Amino acid sequence: MPAYADLIITDAHIHTVDDDRSVAEAVAISDGRIVRVGDMTSVERLADVETTIIPCDGRVVLPGFIDAHTHMESTGRHLVHADLSEATTREEAIDLLTRGDIGHEWIFGFGYDESTWPEGELLRRDDLDEVSTERPVVAYRVDMHTASINSVALERVGDTLPEDDIELDEGEPTGLITEDAVGVVSEQTADASPTLTLLEAATAHALSLGVTCVHDMVRHSDAPRVYRALDIKDELDLRIRLNYWSNHLDAVDELGLQTNHGSDRVEVGAIKTFTDGAIGGRTAKVTEAYVDGEGTGTWVVDPDELEALVKRVDDAGHQLTIHAIGDEAIEVTLDKLESTDSPGRSRHRVEHVELASDEQIQRFTESGIIASVQPNFHQWSGEGGLYDRRLGEARSRGSNRFRTMADAGVNLAFGSDSMPIGPLYGIHCAVNARDPSQRLTVDEAIEAYTLGSAYAGFAEDDLGSIEPGKLADLVILEESPWEVPNAIAEIEVWKTIVGGEVVYRSS
Ligand SMILES: [Zn+2]
């Protein structure tokens, strides 16, 4: 242990998230790692003239939040282009698009959620023609599985879109597109948003919310190259674990990339794939039909294809992370993952797990498969909300059952899916879930957003709690979540520290 500390954080309530859930007054940091945690007197003994001291005036200090499921480029787009997640009506969305012009020929909007609007209607070409009849306009729905384009955009790219993914009305495209068609539009307009610009905006935003590490899902993207270039220049303040989409698997194997290999800032994570779609688009695979529309969802990747992929990825020694929302998708995903040698030791993950049955939750416990879940998805489980309308009240209340999962001993990792990034908002949602029987305690929710997510990234020896030897990633809050459990979402971050460096300070 070094004689002196570079940085001491003191006069604080430090919730360490260690095994005993102990609370300390001060923490000393040297060379980017935590060297002592304890009372002020014992920690301040490590100070000399060179030591930076941050007195916290009794503020709460937590381990830095680890968001186990982000789409940083998408977050960047919300920050750089029109952020339609703010719209509470169709008119507001149109207005944001009209004002959110950054000078590119295309006009972009991201993150609209018509389920929260009084009319509840998806945007179509007629709506977006109100924004412009001269320039192409595209508005992405919050789940990114659906987008809406105006007449000019349809003229430009209509011929290149896969027919199955275009909505028609009497043979005419309505401007609503889904799945692969959304991907085609994104690719054709990629130059409007340089990756570096998006990632810098998203990274700064995440740090301001207390996030110190993300597990970022990358697809059709040069984000990995941009992150590594920033890392080499020592300009990356956030830790990034890259979960590569399965369409990168050939490249990953050809280049010899391996799960958990990398630097302390950028490492290779899992191989990611889909099974089903999402509840909003009625494409999540459910055993019982939707209450407000036809059918029981669709496979985005069908079970046979999934089986082959699981085998190949697992044989190559990579971690797997599989999107599964509806109970049928979860069932099939568990079947395939359980067929691998040691799903628990490989820390295979299922993303979302929104509609898990009791029996499925038990299977997570027994296999050690990680449930990588998004507490902020409770934004749709409120009375009269999206889940009520699509699934009925009983299934809405039975969605995202974190209490049942925690009690069963499931490995829980929390993330946001960038809808939006915000761990305090997510913790708030988990603590204040609609169904009282599914609420987590503040301690449990924080643990899932720190140590739980660290475990999902094989990083529990380095991250996720405030203990000697671990990397010094911390967040200092303006208020205590334990004192305002009904208003955790409003708590401000005072400072964010990564590797012993203050990388965000509130103004
Ligand atoms: Zn996602």
Side-chain angles (χ1 to χ4, degrees), residues 366-408:
E366 279 156 24
S367 62
I369 293 168
I370 291 160
S372 171
V373 293
Q374 292 74 37
N376 48 318
F377 284 9
H378 271 308
Q379 66 190 289
W380 299 301
S381 70
E383 201 183 326
L386 175 72
Y387 290 174
D388 269 12
R389 297 202 300 278
R390 296 279 187 276
L391 304 163
E393 188 184 329
R395 274 190 290 175
S396 176
R397 283 179 176 276
S399 69
N400 300 296
R401 293 193 300 149
F402 308 138
R403 169 89 271 142
T404 306
M405 293 181 192
D407 288 346

Side-chain angles (χ1 to χ4, degrees), residues 12-27 34 36-39 60-64 443 446-447 450-451 463-468 470 473-474 482:
H13 286 95
I14 300 172
H15 291 259
T16 61
V17 192
D18 67 3
D19 285 346
D20 305 325
R21 301 243 162 98
S22 52
V23 180
E25 292 173 346
V27 53
I34 294 162
R36 189 174 290 174
V37 183
D39 60 51
V60 164
V61 179
L62 301 176
D443 285 283
I446 289 172
E447 181 175 331
T450 52
L451 204 51
L463 303 174
S465 65
I466 302 174
E467 296 177 85
K470 287 203 173 185
D473 293 2
L474 310 165
W482 288 268

Side-chain angles (χ1 to χ4, degrees), residues 198-453:
L198 300 179
L199 294 182
E200 283 183 333
T203 301
H205 181 65
L207 293 170
S208 77
L209 298 169
V211 177
T212 54
C213 175
V214 299
H215 298 177
D216 201 29
M217 310 295 171
V218 291
R219 179 188 204 184
H220 300 309
S221 167
D222 61 346
R225 186 184 59 71
V226 172
Y227 284 132
R228 289 189 175 102
L230 288 169
D231 184 19
I232 286 166
K233 287 190 285 179
D234 219 6
E235 289 173 8
L236 186 61
D237 289 333
L238 189 66
R239 298 185 201 278
I240 313 286
R241 182 175 172 87
L242 295 163
N243 289 333
Y244 289 93
W245 285 85
S246 55
N247 50 359
H248 295 299
L249 183 56
D250 287 340
V252 164
D253 283 342
E254 191 184 328
L255 298 173
L257 298 180
Q258 278 290 322
T259 291
N260 297 328
H261 186 259
S263 74
D264 80 318
R265 291 298 153 109
V266 184
E267 68 179 14
V268 177
I271 300 298
K272 166 100 196 281
T273 187
F274 275 129
T275 53
D276 59 349
I279 293 168
R282 298 185 198 84
T283 48
K285 280 295 285 179
V286 289
T287 48
E288 187 189 326
Y290 289 94
V291 299
D292 65 342
E294 298 288 293
T296 55
T298 47
W299 294 116
V300 177
V301 172
D302 73 47
D304 289 341
E305 202 183 323
L306 180 69
E307 182 169 306
L309 183 73
V310 165
K311 183 166 180 355
R312 180 180 162 192
V313 173
D314 186 68
D315 285 352
H318 303 301
Q319 185 184 25
L320 272 152
T321 181
I322 303 176
H323 164 122
I325 287 177
D327 54 345
E328 193 178 349
I330 295 166
E331 186 79 10
V332 166
T333 302
L334 286 170
D335 287 346
K336 306 306 178 200
L337 289 178
E338 283 168 353
S339 76
T340 64
D341 272 353
S342 179
R345 203 176 55 227
S346 305
R347 302 199 192 178
H348 293 324
R349 318 169 20 159
V350 184
E351 303 301 310
H352 312 310
V353 202
E354 285 167 61
L355 296 171
S357 68
D358 285 341
E359 190 236 328
Q360 288 167 348
I361 289 171
Q362 208 51 48
R363 288 170 69 183
F364 275 93
T365 309
E366 279 156 24
S367 62
I369 293 168
I370 291 160
S372 171
V373 293
Q374 292 74 37
N376 48 318
F377 284 9
H378 271 308
Q379 66 190 289
W380 299 301
S381 70
E383 201 183 326
L386 175 72
Y387 290 174
D388 269 12
R389 297 202 300 278
R390 296 279 187 276
L391 304 163
E393 188 184 329
R395 274 190 290 175
S396 176
R397 283 179 176 276
S399 69
N400 300 296
R401 293 193 300 149
F402 308 138
R403 169 89 271 142
T404 306
M405 293 181 192
D407 288 346
V410 174
N411 290 315
L412 275 186
F414 270 2
S416 68
D417 203 6
S418 284
M419 290 190 191
I421 290 180
L424 287 164
Y425 173 56
I427 289 164
H428 177 95
C429 290
V431 170
N432 296 283
R434 176 187 189 178
D435 196 312
S437 71
Q438 287 305 327
R439 291 175 187 161
L440 294 187
T441 66
V442 172
D443 285 283
E444 288 168 333
I446 289 172
E447 181 175 331
Y449 237 127
T450 52
L451 204 51
S453 294

Side-chain angles (χ1 to χ4, degrees), residues 76-302:
R77 284 191 200 101
H78 282 248
L79 295 163
V80 172
H81 299 292
D83 180 4
L84 303 181
S85 65
E86 293 167 16
T88 59
T89 62
R90 186 198 81 100
E91 285 68 30
E92 280 179 27
I94 303 297
D95 186 49
L96 284 164
L97 280 162
T98 309
R99 289 188 289 120
D101 182 354
I102 60 151
H104 189 268
E105 189 195 7
W106 282 69
I107 297 171
F108 299 95
F110 289 89
Y112 84 83
D113 183 0
E114 83 296 338
S115 77
T116 65
W117 302 346
E119 318 84 44
E121 278 293 317
L122 288 156
L123 296 173
R124 292 188 169 76
R125 66 192 290 179
D126 294 345
D127 302 297
L128 297 183
D129 285 347
E130 290 176 33
V131 177
S132 179
T133 52
E134 274 140 40
R135 294 166 57 190
V137 180
V138 53
Y140 292 87
R141 198 181 179 280
V142 59
D143 58 10
M144 294 297 283
H145 292 271
T146 300
S148 313
I149 58 181
N150 73 344
S151 298
V152 180
L154 262 173
E155 273 165 39
R156 292 278 176 90
V157 300
D159 291 346
T160 65
L161 302 178
E163 276 174 34
D164 289 351
D165 294 332
I166 306 174
E167 184 188 63
L168 298 176
D169 182 23
E170 296 180 357
E172 281 298 304
T174 64
L176 195 67
I177 60 175
T178 54
E179 304 302 342
D180 288 342
V182 178
V184 170
V185 170
S186 300
E187 268 171 57
Q188 295 196 10
T189 57
D191 65 325
S193 312
T195 310
L196 177 63
T197 307
L198 300 179
L199 294 182
E200 283 183 333
T203 301
H205 181 65
L207 293 170
S208 77
L209 298 169
V211 177
T212 54
C213 175
V214 299
H215 298 177
D216 201 29
M217 310 295 171
V218 291
R219 179 188 204 184
H220 300 309
S221 167
D222 61 346
R225 186 184 59 71
V226 172
Y227 284 132
R228 289 189 175 102
L230 288 169
D231 184 19
I232 286 166
K233 287 190 285 179
D234 219 6
E235 289 173 8
L236 186 61
D237 289 333
L238 189 66
R239 298 185 201 278
I240 313 286
R241 182 175 172 87
L242 295 163
N243 289 333
Y244 289 93
W245 285 85
S246 55
N247 50 359
H248 295 299
L249 183 56
D250 287 340
V252 164
D253 283 342
E254 191 184 328
L255 298 173
L257 298 180
Q258 278 290 322
T259 291
N260 297 328
H261 186 259
S263 74
D264 80 318
R265 291 298 153 109
V266 184
E267 68 179 14
V268 177
I271 300 298
K272 166 100 196 281
T273 187
F274 275 129
T275 53
D276 59 349
I279 293 168
R282 298 185 198 84
T283 48
K285 280 295 285 179
V286 289
T287 48
E288 187 189 326
Y290 289 94
V291 299
D292 65 342
E294 298 288 293
T296 55
T298 47
W299 294 116
V300 177
V301 172
D302 73 47

